[in-house]
Amino acid sequence: MKLPVSWLKEWVAISAVGVEEIAKRLTFSGFEVEGTENVAGETVLEINVTPNRGDALSVRGLAREVGALFGAPWKAPYKTLSLKSTPKSAVSVSVAKPKLCPRYALAVIDGVRIGPGPEWLSSRLAQVGIRSVNNVVDVTNFVLMELGQPLHAFDRAKLRGGKIAVRTARPDEVLKTLDGVERKLKADDLVIADAEGAVALAGVMGGASSEVTVSTTAIALESAFFQPSAIRRASRRLGLSSESSHRFERRVDPEAVFEALCRAAQLIVEVAGGQVSSVSDLYKEKQKPASVALNPKVVGDVLGGDWKDTEVRFLLQKLGFKVGGSAKAWKVTAPSYRGDVSRDVDLIEEVARLSGLERVPEKFPALSRPVPAGADLSRERTVKSLLADLGFRETIHYSFVAPELASVLGEEGGATLANPLSREQSVLRPSLLPSLLAAASHHARHKMDTFRAFELRSVFEATGARPGEKKRLSGVLMGARLLSHWSGGVQATDFYDLKGSVERILAAFSQDHPPAFARSAVSYLHPGQQASVLIEDRPVGILGEVHPDVLKRLDLRKTVYAFDLDWDALAALPTPAPRFADYPRTPVVERDLAVVVDEGVEAGRIVDFIAKQDSVISDARVFDLYRGDQVTAGKKSLAFSIRMSQAGRTLTDEEVNAVFQRVINGVKNEFQAEVR
């Protein structure tokens, strides 16, 4: 909300207080001042008012707060015209739904002359960001900002039958609103109607048929209290919001309805002429102020520190609360404009913010013994940590996606929401991969060609009336394997980086049963670069290169690899028992072996063979692969590092040489290898 400082100072006696101090005190009391601006030489504060404080969406509401913060008196800078209900009104008023409209007031003003508003009025509206329309409409907007009470002016001559009825819409009733749009209403929409049909959508926007124009000579001025839920429902369904609906949705002060009508009528007579001919005020459903029980001793328990009863009482009274009851059981009555207060903690919050949050001691609350993490949570943490070590970043995307993204993999989309917030969030995602691929595309468009990310969340299937929910672990790889200044050149990620990452993940679930990989035919993966992941012959996921057609739909011109694992199936596997081994207490001997073998010989087979040749071999791994001019066509050179040790004693050179020679002879015979 925009608040001109000079307008505020007309209401509260703080003429000597600077703008910065006002902004600071408001911010630390829960009304964040997001900035200031200069409008025609006037300093205007931009204040973020929280949704529960509809009472503060006005100059008077904020003046009450500022007065309490600075201990300064506040009062209206004018004397309100005192109107009284007349026995017979020029416009008859009826309320068919008093639950939805507890109070409705109407004043008829004859002899008005519609024209431009005076300079002081249009300037005030410009300061709060409202354009000037005409003198009558400008007054309703001025009072809206001044007192927080929305008003609406009808052209009296256009109210058919001389009637106003507050009712719900009739079946298929249509209303053309002031923005020129014809809107089809529903049965629970609250409307203002004349004898023939709706002339306004209650609390949201007036109708074009009764609009005040230059030819208007008499107006019917409306001020009301509508149930917030009714206004909120209609506003959201129709996608129609206004300054009035913004306040009605957050609750206005029912006791200020007639006061605002009198104030506006007085100003209209001043700027547009005329006289008030009749007044109606229907208040069928009296709104009782909230009464909350509070034990003052609880204030210290909640906030910490020492809070005297007299101080707590004083602070609440400064905000307009009435405090009664016994010493240990107060009965606190909220003012009519504070509809947000219903519990004792609401009152304690008021005490804290008004006295200053610096009063709350900086002390950690007593913590109970934390509940140990279960096996599922421990595995999640293990896998997330492992993926982070492998260079992946965890992502968290919305569970709701656009239909195009849900079906980007070319498969059936997820469950469609009946009442989505927007079309972009109208489908429960059937897979984690579309969002991950969209993130990869975003990075690529911004010249960030290397991207590794994963997500561990739920996906949904459209199964019957209630979507089925499953947990998946998915990830994508794109770009370089290593940074060029480490590797001597850019090495692109390939299928085996993907496969190795998945193997590392699965090792956290089943050390005794390593994964197997089988042929698969998933449409969103490349036909020659994909595999199904199996554990004990049970499928637990899929991995491979993303199909170019899918990448094209996402405008992604990079090679991307992806995996998608069934977390529920993995979590059902027995928890692997931890394995421990002593650090070697004797020296470890390393020997390297380079051999030339046929292209079809797998390096892993040779590693497994070497490890079985003797019990002193503790580790064997491949560290180099070479193909080139120095090797015969159809052949490749592989280099292995072999580590040997024995617990309790140091191996002699003769023992090491004997084992190493046995390895050489075995590899030559088993794989027809040539030692380099």
Side-chain angles (χ1 to χ4, degrees):
M1 174 181 164
K2 296 180 182 293
L3 176 66
V5 174
S6 64
W7 199 356
L8 173 68
K9 290 185 176 182
E10 291 177 8
W11 278 80
V12 61
I14 53 166
S15 57
V17 180
V19 173
E20 290 186 2
E21 183 63 21
I22 295 172
K24 177 182 176 181
R25 295 292 294 275
L26 279 172
T27 297
F28 281 98
S29 68
F31 297 96
E32 181 184 2
V33 177
E34 298 180 331
T36 61
E37 60 179 327
N38 187 288
V39 181
E42 174 68 46
T43 301
V44 179
L45 303 179
E46 182 69 41
I47 301 175
N48 181 11
V49 179
T50 55
N52 66 316
R53 292 300 303 274
D55 65 291
L57 290 169
S58 65
V59 177
R60 177 165 68 177
L62 289 170
R64 284 192 292 247
E65 291 292 327
V66 171
L69 289 169
F70 288 94
W74 68 272
K75 66 176 182 177
Y78 57 83
K79 289 186 178 180
T80 306
L81 176 66
S82 180
L83 298 177
K84 294 183 179 180
S85 296
T86 53
K88 186 176 181 181
S89 176
V91 177
S92 65
V93 180
S94 64
V95 178
K97 297 288 185 179
K99 293 288 185 183
L100 300 180
C101 179
R103 190 172 192 180
Y104 190 89
L106 190 77
V108 176
I109 306 176
D110 296 323
V112 297
R113 297 180 299 278
I114 306 301
E119 175 64 25
W120 70 265
L121 182 56
S122 57
S123 296
R124 273 292 187 225
L125 294 179
Q127 290 165 7
V128 295
I130 298 178
R131 68 179 181 87
S132 176
V133 178
N134 59 53
N135 46 10
V136 170
V137 175
D138 287 358
V139 166
T140 62
N141 287 329
F142 178 86
V143 175
L144 168 75
M145 300 305 299
E146 183 181 53
L147 302 181
Q149 174 61 46
L151 303 113
H152 182 69
F154 301 94
D155 187 324
R156 161 68 183 85
K158 297 176 182 177
L159 295 177
R160 295 158 294 189
K163 294 182 179 180
I164 282 286
V166 184
R167 59 170 174 80
T168 51
R170 294 166 181 162
D172 299 324
E173 191 166 15
V174 176
L175 171 66
K176 186 177 183 180
T177 47
L178 287 172
D179 57 1
V181 178
E182 288 192 350
R183 304 181 186 276
K184 189 175 181 180
L185 306 179
K186 286 194 172 183
D188 58 349
D189 290 336
L190 191 64
V191 300
I192 312 300
D194 60 14
E196 298 183 22
V199 293
L201 185 60
V204 181
M205 187 174 287
S209 64
S210 58
E211 181 180 6
V212 172
T213 64
V214 292
S215 61
T216 299
T217 58
I219 64 168
L221 184 64
E222 166 196 277
S223 182
F225 175 82
F226 300 115
Q227 278 297 336
S229 58
I231 307 306
R232 188 182 305 114
R233 183 168 54 247
S235 175
R236 291 189 178 182
R237 185 183 66 80
L238 294 170
L240 185 61
S241 182
S242 63
E243 291 284 354
S244 294
S245 66
H246 185 72
R247 285 160 176 79
F248 278 126
E249 289 177 17
R250 287 155 176 77
R251 189 183 182 274
V252 299
D253 181 4
E255 300 305 318
V257 168
F258 196 70
E259 176 192 357
L261 182 72
C262 295
R263 170 65 168 157
Q266 177 187 28
L267 288 174
I268 288 174
V269 170
E270 288 180 7
V271 303
Q275 60 182 5
V276 179
S277 61
S278 63
V279 179
S280 301
D281 182 18
L282 277 65
Y283 198 2
K284 295 184 178 181
E285 294 285 336
K286 185 75 174 179
Q287 302 296 293
K288 296 181 180 180
S291 182
V292 181
L294 173 66
N295 182 346
K297 304 301 181 185
V298 175
V299 176
D301 295 338
V302 174
L303 299 179
D306 183 25
W307 296 84
K308 295 181 179 180
D309 294 2
T310 53
E311 181 185 14
V312 174
R313 181 189 296 269
F314 175 70
L315 292 171
L316 291 175
Q317 289 174 338
K318 284 177 69 175
L319 291 170
F321 293 89
K322 295 179 180 179
V323 182
S326 62
K328 294 184 179 181
W330 288 1
K331 181 181 179 182
V332 182
T333 303
S336 60
Y337 49 82
R338 290 301 301 270
D340 60 304
V341 175
S342 60
R343 304 172 299 164
D344 59 350
V345 290
D346 297 330
L347 298 173
I348 295 172
E349 179 186 8
E350 295 298 297
V351 171
R353 70 179 189 83
L354 187 59
S355 63
L357 295 179
E358 64 274 9
R359 285 280 307 276
V360 179
E362 296 179 359
K363 181 181 178 181
F364 282 105
L367 298 177
S368 60
R369 186 175 180 179
V371 178
D376 290 344
L377 182 57
S378 295
R379 281 181 170 178
E380 283 192 23
R381 291 174 176 172
T382 299
V383 170
K384 289 180 179 181
S385 178
L386 173 63
L387 285 167
D389 291 342
L390 293 173
F392 288 80
R393 294 185 178 183
E394 183 178 6
T395 62
I396 298 177
H397 295 97
Y398 287 119
S399 296
F400 308 119
V401 296
E404 296 83 5
L405 188 59
S407 59
V408 74
L409 299 181
E411 299 184 339
E412 185 178 350
T416 302
L417 301 182
N419 186 26
L421 294 173
S422 65
R423 187 177 182 280
E424 287 69 27
Q425 293 184 328
S426 61
V427 177
L428 280 168
R429 60 183 176 190
S431 170
L432 302 174
L433 288 177
S435 296
L436 286 166
L437 292 171
S441 177
H442 175 84
H443 279 68
R445 289 196 303 273
H446 289 77
K447 307 301 181 183
M448 293 181 283
D449 296 334
T450 297
F451 180 70
R452 289 191 177 199
F454 75 94
E455 186 166 4
L456 175 55
R457 299 285 296 283
S458 293
V459 299
F460 304 89
E461 297 177 343
T463 54
R466 186 172 183 177
E469 182 176 353
K470 293 183 177 180
K471 204 167 188 179
R472 310 288 294 190
L473 172 62
S474 303
V476 296
L477 299 84
M478 177 182 75
R481 175 186 299 137
L482 297 170
L483 296 177
S484 59
H485 62 273
W486 285 112
S487 60
V490 176
Q491 298 180 5
T493 296
D494 60 21
F495 180 85
Y496 295 100
D497 293 300
L498 171 71
K499 180 173 176 286
S501 298
V502 172
E503 288 175 330
R504 291 285 301 277
I505 295 169
L506 297 179
F509 290 92
S510 180
Q511 296 174 347
D512 297 325
H513 302 282
F517 299 90
R519 291 182 179 274
S520 61
V522 177
S523 61
Y524 62 82
L525 296 178
H526 194 290
Q529 290 278 312
Q530 62 171 284
S532 177
V533 185
L534 308 173
I535 291 183
E536 298 181 358
D537 296 328
R538 288 182 296 174
V540 296
I542 195 81
L543 58 85
E545 180 185 336
V546 180
H547 199 288
D549 290 346
V550 174
L551 300 179
K552 186 177 180 180
R553 296 184 196 119
L554 292 166
D555 192 26
L556 186 52
R557 297 177 176 85
K558 303 287 182 182
T559 300
V560 181
Y561 299 91
F563 66 84
D564 181 35
L565 302 176
D566 185 343
W567 182 267
D568 294 331
L570 295 176
L573 295 171
T575 303
R579 298 179 180 180
F580 302 95
D582 287 337
Y583 286 108
R585 299 177 183 274
T586 55
V588 176
V589 181
E590 293 190 14
R591 294 290 177 88
D592 293 341
L593 172 63
V595 296
V596 176
V597 295
D598 290 339
E599 188 66 53
V601 176
E602 297 175 355
R605 289 176 55 201
I606 302 177
V607 169
D608 292 341
F609 178 83
I610 293 173
K612 295 175 182 178
Q613 296 309 298
D614 199 284
S615 60
V616 301
I617 298 176
S618 58
D619 186 37
R621 63 186 63 191
V622 62
F623 68 86
D624 185 52
L625 166 64
Y626 174 76
R627 298 183 180 92
D629 296 338
Q630 305 299 319
V631 178
T632 306
K635 301 278 188 177
K636 62 184 177 183
S637 173
L638 294 170
F640 301 89
S641 174
I642 305 169
R643 294 166 62 88
M644 292 174 276
S645 66
Q646 189 170 42
R649 70 183 187 88
T650 301
L651 295 173
T652 64
D653 287 343
E654 292 77 8
E655 291 172 319
V656 170
N657 292 335
V659 173
F660 189 58
Q661 189 61 49
R662 191 181 312 130
V663 169
I664 293 174
N665 295 336
V667 170
K668 290 170 64 177
N669 295 331
E670 182 72 18
F671 302 100
Q672 289 73 53
E674 177 186 345
V675 178
R676 295 188 67 187

